[in-house]
Amino acid sequence: MDKARAFLLGLSRRKKRLIQVICDVLLVWLALWMAFVVRLGIDELINPLEGHRWLFISAPIVAIPLFIRFGLYRAVMRYFGNDALIAIIKAVSLSALLLAVIVYGYSNHQPVVPRSIIFNYWWLSLVMIGGLRLAMRQYFLGDWFAATQHVPFTSRDDGLPKVAIYGAGSAGNQLVVALRMGRLMRPVAFIDDDRSLAGRVIAGLQVYTPKHIQQLIDSTGAQEILLAVPSATRARRREILNFLEVFPLHVRTVPGFMDLASGRVKVDDIQEVDIADLLGRDTVPAQEDLFSRCIEGQSVLVTGAGGSIGSELCRQILGAHPKTLLLFEHSEFNLYSILSELEQRINRESLSVKLLPILGSVRHEAKLLDIMKTWHVDTVYHAAAYKHVPMVEHNIAEGVLNNVIGTLNTAQAALQAGVSNFVLISTDKAVRPTNVMGSTKRLAEMTLQALSREAAPVLFGDVSNVSQVNKTRFTMVRFGNVLGSSGSVIPLFHKQIKSGGPLTVTHPKITRYFMTIPEAAQLVIQAGSMGQGGDVFVLDMGEPVKIVELAEKMIHLSGLSIRSERNPNGDIAIEFSGLRPGEKLYEELLIGDGVVATSHPMIMSANEDHLPWDVLKARLNELLSAVEQDDYARVRQLLRDSVSGYAPDGEIVDWIYQQRRLEP
């Protein structure tokens, strides 16, 4: 059977069509002959060569051209579906009607043909021609028993993983077809919330309600559940996942509705459960006037354009139709990756956007100024920063130079070039920080706050003391962790689960705020359009999530159990490694209580203290001098004096500082 199937599939398209035509001619003759048998009975069998030869010649001459016209020979048997069945009904019905015209138009010159023959020929042709194609579809799929698994004596075990599909709608049915064709998994049942479907059979699979999942597992041996509810809200998906967590099943999902609609993925692109579904937060639709205010028809620059936040900002900015989009990035690979993706989208959607990739560092103020002046930049989104807490803690100088001086350089270049809008992507770690990364990001915020209060500041490093007219509106947007970013705990947990564990969590009580990258980028763009100058906007991150509970959910939804003292035979253990240098148990979004609501329900405005520009310039000058001298004790003290609430925890762990202390 397999060799014959492979042989037929390997034939050329012309040979396959020839075989189909020959089969259809034979079926037309058989249907016509059976029509006589049904009408006249076995005792008066018709010999096609005697008396009705003209009719048996006319039938295929009428039918085959119509079959060709209706595309019966263009349909691929493996993908034979409802459209092809409708085409068969139309073609067969029209061929029977034309044959009736021929029969009764020439009945005076030929032997009498009973009137019911045409009706019998019509339904027999439908059964034979449509039935053969349905049978061949099952044959080429290699799944003859797909629709008979509940019939006694037809059960079988083909060694494929058995999966139940949650959602018996169109996405679920498409997934069944894809799985049967791919032959990598065997669908054994549907699960659906619609009680009217309970106990019914769809596509050969019995439908169970959620409360009968244990019965489903016992009767079918299902090992996985695939979520096929792409149009469900995140809140509903979270309810489903919480319910499924108690069962020993690996839960995976098909992509969301927007991913399917955009064409980026297909229904059969099965993936691990999106952690965003566990959070259960539905995104708030963007306010179009805010979203496009600083972008549409303008020249936009994104620093750190190849990073997780920067690249998503570029994707969403592209959708708001800027005139020019400049990608500024110091990593060649990251810049190439986002450039290739955006170029493909521009070509696919025929967008009239000028896309410019620029390699460079935010430490070079002269280059930044040259870029902004040359392309008349209207809006800057400053996402370039070092964000990994332990890494910056071990490399203090790089953290200060990139996060503080880099932001200062970009802001001063924007001010000199007359950029209208400047948006800094900040972090919740800037609030009462215990680490260098957080304190440098807060100092970057304070730099923009101080500049925004000056109508004509004398810039840092300008020995001529010439004032610069300030036409730039500086805005800061602060939020917590984003799912899937570089250094995020979620990809690490996935990797650890695949390797058999253990999952490493720093502390049993550690919590973090989480938000998806697209949602964060969308809100950053809108918040950047709202400020008057010097505003610190805080995104609504929802409730903080305990990392250990997140780890437990990921283990359970992988169909595995947690190994612990209570369950020593579990699959994967959770180990606590201790807080890393500079890490906090809890993150905060506000320094004080002065938070004000805005016109957007997910964006708040914070009123926070800062230093005057002249005072801050002096502090920055001292800080830069301490960094150049590798005096990290002095750097820590200056950050303490400048950043409200900065309380470093533990000894200085910078690599250079530690090595010098060891030297005699």
Side-chain angles (χ1 to χ4, degrees):
M1 292 284 285
D2 291 338
K3 289 182 179 179
R5 181 165 52 244
F7 171 76
L8 290 173
L9 290 174
L11 292 175
S12 66
R13 184 176 297 178
R14 181 176 297 179
K15 290 180 179 179
K16 290 176 182 177
R17 287 179 175 176
L18 180 60
I19 292 173
Q20 284 182 283
V21 171
I22 293 171
C23 289
D24 283 344
V25 170
L26 295 176
L27 288 175
V28 166
W29 283 341
L30 180 59
L32 190 56
W33 183 74
M34 287 295 297
F36 278 100
V37 172
V38 171
R39 172 63 178 82
L40 302 176
I42 299 294
D43 295 335
E44 299 185 39
L45 288 176
I46 293 295
N47 184 350
L49 300 178
E50 295 179 3
H52 296 88
R53 181 183 301 177
W54 66 275
L55 185 57
F56 281 85
I57 293 174
S58 301
I61 291 175
V62 170
I64 299 302
L66 287 172
F67 292 176
I68 294 172
R69 178 66 183 82
F70 279 89
L72 268 61
Y73 305 118
R74 293 195 298 270
V76 179
M77 288 295 101
R78 285 170 290 171
Y79 302 100
F80 191 82
N82 293 335
D83 292 341
L85 283 175
I86 292 171
I88 288 174
I89 293 172
K90 291 178 178 179
V92 170
S93 300
L94 188 55
S95 68
L97 183 62
L98 290 178
L99 189 62
V101 172
I102 293 173
V103 167
Y104 299 119
Y106 295 92
S107 60
N108 295 332
H109 309 286
Q110 304 295 341
V112 174
V113 177
R115 295 176 182 176
S116 60
I117 291 297
I118 297 300
F119 175 75
N120 290 337
Y121 166 73
W122 171 73
W123 69 262
L124 285 166
S125 294
L126 283 178
V127 171
M128 292 180 181
I129 292 170
L132 177 65
R133 281 164 168 76
L134 289 173
M136 293 307 294
R137 180 184 70 175
Q138 293 304 113
Y139 174 68
F140 287 124
L141 286 174
D143 200 4
W144 284 100
F145 301 97
T148 60
Q149 70 174 48
H150 301 290
V151 179
F153 312 113
T154 62
S155 61
R156 64 197 175 104
D157 187 1
D158 48 16
L160 298 177
K162 298 176 181 178
V163 298
I165 296 171
Y166 199 114
S170 58
N173 278 273
Q174 290 178 56
L175 184 56
V176 168
V177 173
L179 293 177
R180 286 173 174 167
M181 290 182 61
R183 304 283 296 156
L184 296 176
M185 298 179 180
R186 183 185 171 200
V188 294
F190 276 117
I191 306 168
D192 201 278
D193 300 322
D194 188 350
R195 294 184 179 180
S196 65
L197 297 178
R200 301 179 68 178
V201 174
I202 298 176
L205 306 178
Q206 185 170 338
V207 182
Y208 293 82
T209 58
K211 68 178 181 180
H212 293 129
I213 289 181
Q214 189 58 53
Q215 178 186 337
L216 177 155
I217 297 172
D218 296 338
S219 60
T220 65
Q223 301 159 288
E224 292 190 30
I225 289 183
L226 304 181
L227 295 184
V229 285
S231 59
T233 64
R234 282 222 175 99
R236 176 57 188 145
R237 292 167 77 90
R238 181 185 184 183
E239 291 177 6
I240 295 172
L241 291 171
N242 287 340
F243 179 78
L244 295 177
E245 189 182 347
V246 299
F247 298 100
L249 297 167
H250 185 186
V251 181
R252 291 197 282 176
T253 183
V254 298
F257 179 79
M258 293 308 297
D259 291 327
L260 293 172
S262 67
R264 288 197 294 265
V265 292
K266 304 185 293 297
V267 169
D268 56 330
D269 286 337
I270 298 168
Q271 57 194 26
E272 294 298 330
V273 169
D274 189 348
I275 302 302
D277 294 334
L278 292 177
L279 303 182
R281 277 164 48 94
D282 289 310
T283 58
V284 176
Q287 297 180 13
E288 289 302 323
D289 59 326
L290 290 176
F291 193 79
S292 59
R293 183 178 297 170
C294 298
I295 298 173
E296 188 173 6
Q298 300 181 46
S299 181
V300 181
L301 168 67
V302 179
T303 68
S308 51
I309 290 292
S311 59
E312 183 60 31
L313 280 170
C314 292
R315 294 184 192 101
Q316 299 204 22
I317 289 168
L318 203 62
H321 309 293
K323 179 180 65 177
T324 306
L325 177 56
L326 296 98
L327 314 176
F328 191 82
E329 172 64 52
H330 79 283
S331 167
E332 181 186 29
F333 176 76
N334 288 352
L335 183 60
Y336 171 76
S337 298
I338 187 61
L339 174 67
S340 301
E341 179 186 332
L342 297 182
E343 283 181 335
Q344 291 177 13
R345 180 178 170 189
I346 288 172
N347 293 332
R348 185 173 63 248
E349 300 179 11
S350 301
L351 300 176
S352 57
V353 178
K354 188 174 184 180
L355 194 63
L356 298 168
I358 302 173
L359 275 172
S361 171
V362 291
R363 296 186 189 180
H364 301 149
E365 183 176 353
K367 181 168 185 175
L368 287 165
L369 178 58
D370 188 32
I371 291 168
M372 294 181 195
K373 283 185 174 179
T374 301
W375 279 284
H376 307 289
V377 172
D378 299 293
T379 302
V380 173
Y381 292 98
H382 181 53
Y386 290 141
K387 305 180 181 73
H388 195 275
V389 169
M391 195 69 72
V392 175
E393 206 69 18
H394 287 294
N395 298 272
I396 294 175
E398 293 302 306
V400 171
L401 292 173
N402 203 63
N403 293 359
V404 180
I405 305 304
T407 301
L408 174 67
N409 291 341
T410 312
Q412 292 194 153
L415 191 149
Q416 294 176 80
V419 171
S420 300
N421 309 292
F422 187 104
V423 183
L424 169 69
I425 285 74
S426 191
T427 171
D428 58 353
K429 293 173 179 60
V431 178
R432 281 182 278 272
T434 58
N435 51 69
V436 175
M437 193 282 279
S439 63
T440 56
K441 290 297 288 183
R442 175 56 189 149
L443 199 53
E445 290 181 356
M446 294 169 64
T447 301
L448 299 192
Q449 287 177 301
L451 278 173
S452 67
R453 298 295 188 271
E454 299 290 327
V458 176
L459 300 184
F460 178 82
D462 187 356
V463 295
S464 63
N465 285 329
V466 176
S467 299
Q468 296 286 335
V469 177
N470 187 358
K471 297 180 180 179
T472 305
R473 184 173 58 89
F474 292 103
T475 305
M476 293 132 277
V477 185
R478 188 188 292 162
F479 55 92
N481 298 271
V482 288
L483 296 171
S485 66
S486 57
S488 171
V489 71
I490 308 304
L492 175 62
F493 283 169
H494 276 306
K495 184 178 179 180
Q496 291 175 337
I497 289 172
K498 286 182 179 179
S499 62
L503 266 63
T504 53
V505 179
T506 55
H507 193 281
K509 295 183 179 180
I510 193 167
T511 64
R512 288 293 180 266
Y513 291 99
F514 284 105
M515 179 178 282
T516 65
I517 295 177
E519 182 181 10
Q522 180 200 98
L523 291 172
V524 163
I525 292 172
Q526 294 176 85
S529 302
M530 298 169 65
Q532 302 301 313
D535 307 81
V536 177
F537 290 108
V538 180
L539 304 187
D540 182 356
M541 301 290 295
E543 296 298 321
V545 177
K546 290 188 72 173
I547 302 300
V548 67
E549 292 180 358
L550 195 61
E552 291 171 353
K553 285 182 179 291
M554 291 181 66
I555 292 173
H556 289 147
L557 292 172
S558 297
L560 304 171
S561 59
I562 299 172
R563 189 189 311 139
S564 62
E565 292 182 0
R566 294 183 179 180
N567 183 24
N569 297 319
D571 300 304
I572 294 182
I574 297 176
E575 294 182 356
F576 299 102
S577 57
L579 293 175
R580 297 172 296 179
E583 193 169 37
K584 295 170 67 175
L585 275 180
Y586 312 101
E587 297 293 0
E588 304 167 272
L589 289 167
L590 296 171
I591 294 175
D593 298 324
V595 62
V596 179
T598 68
S599 59
H600 196 292
M602 302 292 287
I603 301 172
M604 300 172 289
S605 179
N607 296 316
E608 296 176 351
D609 296 332
H610 61 278
L611 298 174
W613 176 238
D614 289 337
V615 175
L616 185 63
K617 274 199 304 181
R619 294 278 176 86
L620 291 175
N621 192 52
E622 290 184 62
L623 184 64
L624 188 56
S625 176
V627 167
E628 290 172 349
Q629 297 171 20
D630 293 330
D631 187 354
Y632 298 115
R634 178 63 176 156
V635 169
R636 173 178 277 195
Q637 187 57 48
L638 286 167
L639 290 175
R640 262 204 189 110
D641 295 341
S642 305
V643 177
S644 174
Y646 175 46
D649 185 18
E651 296 294 322
I652 297 173
V653 294
D654 181 89
W655 297 125
I656 296 176
Y657 178 83
Q658 288 184 321
Q659 182 61 29
R660 286 186 175 172
R661 290 186 63 185
L662 295 174
E663 293 176 354

